[in-house]
Amino acid sequence: AKAALMARLSNQFGDLDVVGMLADGNKEDTSSDDSSIREPSQADLMAWQQSQFDKGREKLQAKKLLEKTPLEKRRLLGKNEREEKFDDTDDWEDILPQPDLQGQESLFFPSTNNDEGVFEVIGIHPLLMQIAAEGDPEVLGGAWKRLYSSSHGDGLSFSYLLDAIRGYGGPTIMFIRAIQSAKHCYGDNSSSSSTLGFYTTSTWVESSQYYGTEECFLFSIGTEKDSEEIRILRPKEDQPRRMTNNYMYCHPSSMNIASRNHVVDSTNGAVHGIGIGGTAGQPRLHITESMEGCRALGYDTVFEPGQLLMPDFGDSLYYFDIDYLEVWGVGGQSWIDDALLSREKERARALANLQKVQRVDKEQLVDDLRMTSAMFKHQENTCS
């Protein structure tokens, strides 16, 4: 019986040496030596425990990272990158990078002019360092990218401003040089000016509704005894629940034209242009599309109280015209590159939608012409 079984196995498995394999399996393993198995040392146990701890920490960090918002992820990754530059973690200190305009000119942070008339930057402008340190050091430190400047080729154009910031998927900071409003000035039109602005980590989008997060602030830059002082006005912690999202809106009048075929509340009480804080009918800071007759109030229910225009600004109350304006992308080069890519995608999407609307309008025009022609022919046939 055994020989018959072996014969069948040999026929089934071909040229395999079944007999030899079974014989090897029946041999006792006498090569093993209990003396070769040793107990792990204290160092081995500590190394194993450390490896398990590191794996658990990495899994926990990955889980926390997934639960964070994009902004929180950026902050955490930036901190980790800075921490990796130091070998001695006991002496490690989170030293934030200084703001860097990367050689780009700004009327708000001018370089010095030497005897030969050539501009040269000496260090970092003190106001630039101050607003970065007091505003949001993690984001305002590092590389800056000029997105819009009315004095460097863009001109005072709301459409150019809108094109520069719409869809930009990163934090931005806006600087405004305000002068007395020519239309609303009831006294002598003095040459006094004031500097104010707005910082946000939210993406600029066209909307008749307020949006944004508390990661923003208004600010003003004034003169106090020959020294400039920056005042930061952050969102209130105890603001009414119905006002918790009244941080910003961007509502151009062209938005009504683009959506004329849709039933929407096109204005929602909002004043056309850019509004910061306040209410839709009376924003704390309002930038008009003409950039004239803008408003800056000293109080609202969203941001901390404080004047955005200096006390000696003049006789135009809280109205002002814009002398020049700049918007900068901040957050470091990596974030800026991603935000610029996001803006290009938004531009491509807007262009595709515009072409679709134009195509539909042309088709509707052709249909209307055909219907009109058919009606005339019908009338001619009826009269005849």
Side-chain angles (χ1 to χ4, degrees):
K2 181 178 180 181
L5 175 62
M6 297 302 297
R8 287 199 302 269
L9 290 175
S10 298
N11 292 332
Q12 183 177 356
F13 295 102
D15 57 354
L16 291 179
D17 186 6
V18 178
V19 177
M21 293 171 61
L22 293 176
D24 293 339
N26 292 328
K27 292 181 179 179
E28 295 184 358
D29 186 8
T30 59
S31 60
S32 60
D33 186 2
D34 293 340
S35 62
S36 63
I37 303 176
R38 65 180 181 84
E39 291 292 332
S41 65
Q42 186 67 21
D44 294 335
L45 290 175
M46 292 182 63
W48 178 84
Q49 290 176 348
Q50 183 63 40
S51 65
Q52 296 302 309
F53 175 78
D54 291 341
K55 291 179 180 179
R57 184 176 59 178
E58 291 176 359
K59 290 181 179 179
L60 182 61
Q61 289 178 346
K63 182 179 179 181
K64 289 182 177 180
L65 189 61
L66 291 175
E67 296 174 350
K68 292 182 178 297
T69 65
L71 175 62
E72 291 173 333
K73 291 178 182 179
R74 290 279 184 176
R75 292 186 187 276
L76 180 60
L77 291 175
K79 183 177 181 180
N80 291 341
E81 290 175 358
R82 294 191 299 270
E83 188 175 1
E84 288 176 358
K85 295 181 180 179
F86 298 87
D87 296 329
D88 189 356
T89 56
D90 294 335
D91 298 334
W92 179 80
E93 182 179 355
D94 192 3
I95 302 176
L96 298 171
Q98 296 295 332
D100 181 11
L101 300 186
Q102 304 185 97
Q104 302 165 99
E105 294 184 4
S106 170
L107 290 180
F108 294 94
F109 310 106
S111 55
T112 56
N113 195 359
N114 60 18
D115 296 337
E116 299 178 357
V118 179
F119 285 99
E120 59 180 5
V121 178
I122 300 179
I124 303 174
H125 196 285
L127 276 179
L128 187 62
M129 295 182 64
Q130 185 180 355
I131 197 169
E134 298 182 11
D136 190 343
E138 289 184 341
V139 178
L140 292 173
W144 286 32
K145 169 68 176 178
R146 194 178 66 209
L147 304 177
Y148 171 86
S149 174
S150 62
S151 56
H152 292 90
D154 295 323
L156 278 174
S157 168
F158 188 82
S159 61
Y160 280 14
L161 171 62
L162 183 61
D163 184 62
I165 63 176
R166 180 175 49 202
Y168 181 83
T172 54
I173 186 166
M174 177 186 296
F175 296 91
I176 303 169
R177 178 59 56 88
I179 58 177
Q180 282 192 6
S181 173
K183 182 178 180 180
H184 297 88
C185 184
Y186 62 87
D188 295 334
N189 191 3
S190 67
S191 59
S192 61
S193 63
S194 194
T195 301
L196 63 154
F198 176 64
Y199 161 82
T200 179
T201 59
S202 300
T203 301
W204 288 96
V205 296
E206 291 185 10
S207 174
S208 62
Q209 305 283 341
Y210 274 96
Y211 64 94
T213 70
E214 69 279 1
E215 296 275 357
C216 64
F217 59 80
L218 289 161
F219 65 90
S220 63
I221 304 176
T223 301
E224 175 111 15
K225 294 182 180 181
D226 300 331
S227 64
E228 294 182 308
E229 177 187 8
I230 293 179
R231 174 184 291 179
I232 305 290
L233 305 175
R234 302 185 187 277
K236 295 179 180 179
E237 295 182 358
D238 57 346
Q239 58 183 288
R241 178 170 297 182
R242 62 185 178 85
M243 309 290 286
T244 52
N245 291 324
N246 283 30
Y247 298 111
M248 57 193 286
Y249 71 78
C250 181
H251 186 192
S253 57
S254 59
M255 182 178 171
N256 297 342
I257 299 174
S259 59
R260 64 184 182 277
N261 294 326
H262 304 279
V263 180
V264 295
D265 183 5
S266 58
T267 61
N268 192 34
V271 182
H272 288 152
I274 291 176
I276 308 298
T279 63
Q282 192 176 46
R284 175 75 174 273
L285 172 63
H286 177 219
I287 301 174
T288 65
E289 291 183 297
S290 65
M291 299 196 178
E292 297 177 349
C294 306
R295 290 182 297 178
L297 306 179
Y299 177 83
D300 73 323
T301 57
V302 181
F303 290 91
E304 295 172 335
Q307 294 297 330
L308 293 171
L309 301 175
M310 294 300 102
D312 60 347
F313 183 68
D315 298 325
S316 58
L317 296 177
Y318 46 79
Y319 288 96
F320 66 91
D321 295 341
I322 296 179
D323 189 16
Y324 50 89
L325 183 151
E326 294 178 2
V327 180
W328 293 76
V330 294
Q333 194 59 53
S334 175
W335 203 342
I336 290 173
D337 291 340
D338 291 344
L340 290 173
L341 181 60
S342 175
R343 186 181 68 176
E344 292 304 315
K345 291 181 179 179
E346 172 60 23
R347 287 176 175 176
R349 186 196 65 81
L351 179 60
N353 288 341
L354 178 61
Q355 292 174 343
K356 180 179 179 180
V357 170
Q358 291 175 342
R359 183 171 61 254
V360 172
D361 288 347
K362 290 180 180 179
E363 293 175 354
Q364 185 64 43
L365 177 60
V366 172
D367 291 341
D368 291 344
L369 291 175
R370 289 174 178 173
M371 184 176 296
T372 302
S373 177
M375 290 176 60
F376 278 119
K377 290 182 178 180
H378 178 71
Q379 291 177 357
E380 290 176 355
N381 294 333
T382 303
C383 295
S384 61

